[in-house]
Amino acid sequence: MDDFEAELKAGFLEEAAQLMVDTEQCFLALESSPHDPVILEKLFRLAHNLKGSAKAVGFNELGAFTHELESYLLKLKNGDIKTHAESVSLLLQCNDHILKMISALKADFNAQVDGTHLLEEIRRQIAGQTAEASPQSVAPPAPAEPVVAAQPEEAPVSVVETLPEPEVPAVEAVEAVAEPVAAVVAPVEPAAVAPVIELVPSAPQAQAPADESIRVSLGRLEKLINFVGEMVILETVLREQIQSSNTGLVRKTVHQLGKVTKEVQDISMSLRMVPLKQTFMKMQRIVRDTSGALGKKIQLNLQGEETELDKTILEHLGDPLVHLIRNAVDHGVEAPEARVAKGKPEQGNISLNAYHHSGSLIIEVRDDGGGLDPQKLKAKAVEKKILKPDAVLADKEAYQLIFHSGFSTKAQVTDVSGRGVGMDVVKTNIEKLQGDIQIESEVGKGTCFRIRLPLTLAIIDAMVVLCENERYVLPLSHMHESIKPQESDIHFISGVGEILCLRNENLPLYRLNQLLGKRSAKASESVSDYIAIVVRVGAEPFAILVDDILGQYQVVIKKLGDEHRNLKGFSGSSILGDGRPALILELTELVAKYRPVAQPAVNSIDKNAIPQRRAAA
Amino acid sequence: MNSANQSNSNEKSQSIGTRYLSFTLGQEDYAIPLLSVREVIAVPEITPIPFAPPHFVGIMNLRGQVISIIDLRQKLGIKPKAGAETAVIICDLAPLCLGVVVDSINSVLSPNVDEVTEKPQIQSGKNIDYITHVYRQGKKLTLFLDIRKILDAGDHQAVSSVTQVKRAA
């Protein structure tokens, strides 16, 4: 019995936490359209549900608190109290308080969180407003408590009253309530409740039948995906074997199995995909709070919240996004006076936009603020001794300076941002997710941070290459092109190494076996047996020489064990078609390891030198 | 199998409660706690890892999980026995999961208290740190190994030092 009760409580808390995300969103929406009956109605229902369930599973404190909140919401809904910024703030505080309660209760079912001051504030607002607006509507003149107590009776009255004209300004509505009170109190409650449901028009009801869902623990999901990965591998093994079999039926079945496997794989991968919505919603709150603290007026526009992303990536995306948004609010958008002086509208705009683009997810954080000034950035970098005074930088390179640790262009350190840590963390976090971040900016017009992320980290498109009879996996996203080089394309420069002349570029060339620490006697052999792969992911492009390319596959990434955490150059492993594991190469790391001391960039070598060599060859 | 019979015949004294899986490396017998053993398999196909220390044989696929394999003989400096029925013990040392190559698997031991002694105090022994206890049955010695310690002691360092050597080269 106890177990059952505990389970009920845990289930409720889980559900409540989700409800709260919805409510916070509604509260924020309320600020922009304070009299929207749909939102108010939804909020009221959410609070009502929460109260009911909380009491049902025995969280009386939570129930009592939501009861007060519900009465307040009811007043707002009925127009007894006008919705204004202050009430939205109060509602948000209540939201935070309930969240705090929920997390406290999660840790301990008997936890107590003190919320008296909020309760008093709610009562004050209820009492203050109703008492002065409609003193005769409620019988007892005493302020706080009785109003709440009288609430159930009062509710149907006001609902009926406000129904015909939901837009009626608050005070009038309340006064209108005053007269018919006596008359309408008579009808039984059910009759009065009915219109409440009608008041909720299409939106929430249309959502209900759309898609039923159940919640599954991530652990189970990951197990499933693991086994699906294994099944894909077994299927490949089977398919490779079937080439030698002549039985028509077996072949047909294996072919069929292949189709089904692909389907199952696609579905199970999509199970990990979650919409960005929740993460985006949090940003709304952050913009509201941050801009409020800084005295700026900022509107956050969201686009593409339905875009889906792998859950693991999403989890690590939150912090960088929060940082970028805060940065945009603090450093990006100017103070209202400054904006007006520049002839811009007083209210700043930040837009958060997500969309899919050629197999990647793009997230843009755009503000219409002052933009980045490359000259200022350079000056600052020189001052901070990050940059040499005589360095020549393109604008794009100058923007990259803000990702340098210990760099902040804002003179004053604020509570919000400007401590100079963060942007570098943003960049590393995003790079850890195999993504990158770019900046576009125009002085006076605004800045746009564009984050590119892979859709999933669990499966990647990859090339399997051969090097000294061992197979290695190269992420396709790292490869730019592959060519079969001619003897004459490759030159050796003492002290620099080998160079691949590709069209009008001179790329440093590394042999994969050397990068992997194998000293091969074959180094002097003819290069035309090899294949060169051009990589353009890091700061400098380079080429590597492999023995052969075996094919392009979708591979399931398996992490290497903890015992290899010091091993650089490999981002993981994967199981190939024959069931044997292969390492996934992180070429930029391998090259860095091979060439630890920065050598002069090859492209900066006197370009005349190479054509001469070519002529000599 | 012999050892198992012997320990059964010696039932008067009390068992230490922990059971061990004993195996052979070269001419010597070693054992690890049975609870840390997940399974024993034949030597699978192994993919070598560049830059890893020599006793890191490589990685293998155990039903979809990629597991590192270490060769204890290499690590402890023991000559492999010729023609041995080599096997791999999959050890679960949360959070690590490792395969350990051994010459042959012997038996499960449930030693009695009076048969287990502290390890000999030899200062210079390179492998002495990895040995937790010595188990003596008649004239036969079995050494209890601490696999986790074997890994902790050198390998994280080894991995990085190997890379440093390569870098210097």
Side-chain angles (χ1 to χ4, degrees):
Chain A
M1 189 62 197
D2 273 344
D3 273 0
F4 176 66
E5 202 180 307
E7 207 173 289
L8 263 186
K9 286 186 175 181
F12 160 74
L13 290 173
E14 196 63 24
E15 211 171 288
Q18 289 206 328
L19 278 181
M20 295 320 287
V21 178
D22 272 356
T23 48
E24 178 172 311
Q25 210 37 50
C26 289
F27 288 143
L28 288 166
L30 203 59
E31 199 169 37
S32 47
S33 49
H35 300 292
D36 189 335
V38 178
I39 299 174
L40 284 167
E41 181 54 40
K42 192 174 172 198
L43 268 175
F44 179 67
R45 260 186 319 113
L46 286 168
H48 188 78
N49 284 349
L50 197 64
K51 181 186 81 172
S53 326
K55 285 191 170 165
V57 295
F59 291 134
N60 290 325
E61 200 197 349
L62 185 60
F65 185 81
T66 35
H67 176 77
E68 298 286 317
L69 182 61
E70 190 191 341
S71 347
Y72 183 49
L73 279 169
L74 188 77
K75 297 272 180 195
L76 289 175
K77 181 165 78 86
N78 294 344
D80 294 358
I81 303 173
K82 255 194 184 165
T83 321
H84 44 78
E86 199 187 322
S87 44
V88 172
S89 291
L90 176 62
L91 287 172
L92 284 171
Q93 278 171 28
C94 291
N95 205 55
D96 289 347
H97 179 66
I98 295 175
L99 274 177
K100 220 191 283 166
M101 277 175 142
I102 290 172
S103 56
L105 287 168
K106 262 187 191 165
D108 172 16
F109 286 150
N110 298 315
Q112 302 272 328
V113 181
D114 182 50
T116 0
H117 64 285
L118 276 174
L119 281 177
E120 271 163 19
E121 177 65 23
I122 293 176
R123 286 183 189 135
R124 194 185 61 76
Q125 289 222 8
I126 295 177
Q129 302 271 352
T130 44
E132 69 188 54
S134 55
Q136 69 274 61
S137 72
V138 186
E145 309 292 323
V147 176
V148 176
Q151 179 259 336
E153 278 190 6
E154 198 188 19
V157 175
S158 359
V159 167
V160 173
E161 199 46 43
T162 40
L163 240 187
E165 268 179 314
E167 295 296 335
V168 177
V171 184
E172 279 177 41
V174 174
E175 273 167 2
V177 170
E179 302 288 320
V181 164
V184 195
V185 163
V188 276
E189 265 188 55
V193 174
V196 178
I197 299 155
E198 276 168 43
L199 199 127
V200 190
S202 49
Q205 276 176 354
Q207 277 171 4
D211 210 355
E212 281 190 48
S213 61
I214 57 166
R215 283 188 293 132
V216 183
S217 83
L218 196 61
R220 276 161 85 182
L221 202 59
E222 257 155 21
K223 236 183 208 165
L224 173 76
I225 287 164
N226 229 349
F227 277 110
V228 169
E230 182 71 352
M231 188 169 81
V232 172
I233 293 158
L234 291 176
E235 193 265 333
T236 328
V237 176
L238 195 59
R239 196 145 30 111
E240 274 177 17
Q241 295 302 312
I242 209 71
Q243 308 294 351
S244 52
S245 162
N246 284 325
T247 333
L249 180 67
V250 175
R251 254 198 225 182
K252 214 174 103 187
T253 318
V254 170
H255 187 70
Q256 201 72 17
L257 179 69
K259 279 188 183 170
V260 176
T261 314
K262 181 89 185 64
E263 199 81 0
V264 172
Q265 188 191 353
D266 285 352
I267 294 173
S268 56
M269 290 324 290
S270 74
L271 292 180
R272 293 176 57 91
M273 305 293 264
V274 285
L276 279 164
K277 198 167 182 178
Q278 288 210 0
T279 312
F280 272 26
M281 296 305 177
K282 279 188 207 138
M283 302 305 151
Q284 198 115 45
R285 178 78 190 268
I286 285 161
V287 169
R288 184 187 184 276
D289 291 356
T290 324
S291 59
L294 292 167
K296 293 181 180 179
K297 286 187 182 166
I298 294 171
Q299 163 93 36
L300 178 70
N301 304 308
L302 300 179
Q303 239 183 333
E305 311 102 287
E306 296 303 327
T307 319
E308 289 188 330
L309 186 63
D310 190 288
K311 187 166 165 56
T312 12
I313 302 182
L314 192 67
E315 271 165 13
H316 293 101
L317 188 63
D319 289 344
L321 264 189
V322 168
H323 202 92
L324 284 178
I325 292 277
R326 282 199 172 157
N327 237 42
V329 173
D330 189 17
H331 299 255
V333 177
E334 314 93 324
E337 313 85 61
R339 288 184 66 87
V340 173
K342 282 183 187 171
K344 290 188 192 177
E346 197 186 10
Q347 189 182 48
N349 277 300
I350 295 176
S351 63
L352 195 53
N353 188 9
Y355 55 92
H356 285 175
H357 179 73
S358 65
S360 303
L361 177 91
I362 314 280
I363 298 177
E364 289 176 350
V365 180
R366 189 187 290 275
D367 66 63
D368 64 348
L372 292 170
D373 185 343
Q375 298 310 323
K376 261 192 200 163
L377 290 173
K378 280 181 219 169
K380 189 85 181 178
V382 171
E383 182 193 312
K384 297 233 168 190
K385 299 200 168 62
I386 297 168
L387 201 66
K388 281 185 195 150
D390 53 349
V392 182
L393 285 183
D395 286 0
K396 275 226 156 154
E397 289 170 305
Y399 298 152
Q400 292 291 326
L401 285 171
I402 66 169
F403 293 122
H404 203 285
S405 57
F407 187 92
S408 175
T409 48
K410 195 124 190 242
Q412 227 179 6
V413 171
T414 62
D415 279 351
V416 180
S417 53
R419 286 173 301 271
V421 288
M423 283 313 265
D424 57 323
V425 179
V426 168
K427 193 177 161 86
T428 27
N429 278 355
I430 285 167
E431 278 172 357
K432 256 187 221 157
L433 296 171
Q434 309 284 330
D436 58 43
I437 179 163
Q438 286 170 352
I439 307 172
E440 273 171 29
S441 184
E442 204 175 324
V443 178
K445 291 257 178 77
T447 312
C448 173
F449 290 89
R450 188 169 294 130
I451 303 170
R452 193 194 56 81
L453 288 169
L455 289 181
T456 175
L457 290 178
I459 284 199
I460 53 164
D461 277 309
M463 285 280 188
V464 178
V465 299
L466 196 68
C467 173
E468 308 214 337
N469 293 323
E470 281 301 332
R471 291 166 305 172
Y472 296 95
V473 178
L474 269 182
L476 206 59
S477 55
H478 289 189
M479 294 175 57
H480 187 260
E481 62 183 310
S482 62
I483 53 161
K484 218 168 164 60
Q486 299 297 310
E487 199 83 48
S488 54
D489 295 338
I490 295 176
H491 303 272
F492 183 80
I493 301 175
S494 299
V496 175
E498 282 179 299
I499 304 293
L500 173 72
C501 299
L502 177 70
R503 293 184 283 275
N504 47 14
E505 260 183 307
N506 305 316
L507 302 170
L509 179 76
Y510 305 99
R511 287 168 193 259
L512 187 55
N513 54 13
Q514 287 174 352
L515 289 185
L516 294 175
K518 298 177 182 177
R519 297 214 168 267
S520 163
K522 287 196 279 181
S524 58
E525 216 178 70
S526 152
V527 289
S528 48
D529 297 339
Y530 296 93
I531 292 174
I533 293 172
V534 181
V535 179
R536 295 184 193 273
V537 276
E540 273 177 50
F542 59 89
I544 60 156
L545 216 52
V546 299
D547 292 1
D548 202 359
I549 292 181
L550 297 177
Q552 183 186 331
Y553 302 93
Q554 282 213 317
V555 299
V556 181
I557 298 180
K558 309 264 177 183
K559 278 206 184 101
L560 284 177
D562 229 13
E563 64 274 17
H564 296 300
R565 61 181 164 206
N566 283 331
L567 197 60
K568 288 259 157 48
F570 307 99
S571 56
S573 61
S574 173
I575 296 167
L576 299 182
D578 61 357
R580 273 189 61 180
L583 291 162
I584 302 173
L585 299 178
E586 193 64 68
L587 284 173
T588 37
E589 269 181 32
L590 278 175
V591 169
K593 191 188 223 175
Y594 182 73
R595 198 187 62 165
V597 193
Q599 289 179 5
V602 178
N603 275 329
S604 66
I605 292 170
D606 184 6
K607 289 200 174 150
N608 294 329
I610 290 159
Q612 275 167 17
R613 276 182 162 268
R614 184 181 261 171
Chain B
M1 297 305 134
N2 262 341
S3 49
N5 290 339
Q6 273 183 14
S7 66
N8 284 345
S9 67
N10 217 348
E11 263 169 73
K12 277 176 204 156
S13 49
Q14 205 166 4
S15 160
I16 59 165
T18 319
R19 295 200 290 166
Y20 285 80
L21 179 72
S22 95
F23 51 87
T24 308
L25 301 174
Q27 305 298 322
E28 301 156 41
D29 285 337
Y30 290 88
I32 53 171
L34 193 61
L35 277 179
S36 62
V37 176
R38 199 209 281 185
E39 60 188 292
V40 176
I41 56 169
V43 178
E45 284 190 285
I46 297 173
T47 305
I49 306 175
F51 306 121
H55 64 275
F56 258 99
V57 191
I59 48 177
M60 64 163 283
N61 166 19
L62 180 76
R63 295 186 301 278
Q65 196 185 355
V66 174
I67 291 177
S68 302
I69 307 274
I70 61 167
D71 190 337
L72 270 189
R73 299 167 299 188
Q74 275 268 10
K75 177 72 191 173
L76 301 177
I78 299 168
K79 245 194 184 161
K81 194 155 73 179
E85 328 121 23
T86 321
V88 174
I89 305 174
I90 307 290
C91 302
D92 224 332
L93 309 163
L96 291 185
C97 190
L98 270 188
V100 177
V101 182
V102 298
D103 274 326
S104 64
I105 305 286
N106 299 335
S107 62
V108 174
L109 310 173
S110 25
N112 294 326
V113 176
D114 55 353
E115 293 170 322
V116 178
T117 51
E118 291 294 315
K119 62 183 175 189
Q121 293 302 317
I122 304 169
Q123 295 294 322
S124 60
K126 156 184 137 197
N127 293 340
I128 199 82
D129 288 343
Y130 312 141
I131 296 167
T132 56
H133 293 95
V134 177
Y135 172 48
R136 202 184 58 248
Q137 300 162 285
K139 296 205 163 155
K140 202 164 158 236
L141 280 190
T142 304
L143 305 168
F144 292 166
L145 279 181
D146 187 342
I147 299 249
R148 203 186 289 268
K149 215 170 202 170
I150 294 183
L151 283 172
D152 285 350
D155 286 334
H156 298 315
Q157 276 173 14
V159 174
S160 48
S161 70
V162 164
T163 55
Q164 273 157 18
V165 170
K166 297 275 178 195
R167 191 173 288 178

